[in-house]
Amino acid sequence: MLTDVLTGWTAETLGGLTLLAGATAWGWIRRRRNQAVPAPAIAAGEAVRPVRTYTLLGARAADGQPVHLPSSRPAGIRVTWTGPVGKTEQFELTDAVLPDGTYAAERVSAYPGSGPL
């Protein structure tokens, strides 16, 4: 009689644990398949450019301090900056590193557009 009880109990327990393990595995697989794939921050094959801090050479803020511009754009790009009095100037970003660790942005609006060489 005791062996009948233990045998029945063991079979029911093992059967229940098998069903529980199967349901858990099915839920885990279903959740893995339905997970949204996050969109990449950059396009495939595109290099990640670090953010650099550029010092706009010859430009001063309203308090007289040099103007710093953070940008991830590559060297050679021209940016427009509006000064404290509303005057706009163009600066070209360069790879030149200044002593304070920032990169130089050279003023190009100070040069004549197309003059004789």
Side-chain angles (χ1 to χ4, degrees), residues 24-85:
T24 303
W26 179 75
W28 180 78
I29 291 171
R30 187 172 175 221
R31 190 173 350 126
R32 285 262 327 217
R33 287 186 180 174
N34 293 338
Q35 273 184 337
V37 177
I42 59 170
E46 184 179 333
V48 177
R49 288 189 296 257
V51 175
R52 295 177 169 181
T53 301
Y54 292 93
T55 299
L56 305 182
L57 299 177
R60 296 287 178 188
D63 61 355
Q65 297 295 318
V67 178
H68 297 290
L69 173 74
S71 178
S72 63
R73 296 181 180 180
I77 298 291
R78 290 187 178 186
V79 294
T80 303
W81 177 72
T82 304
V85 292

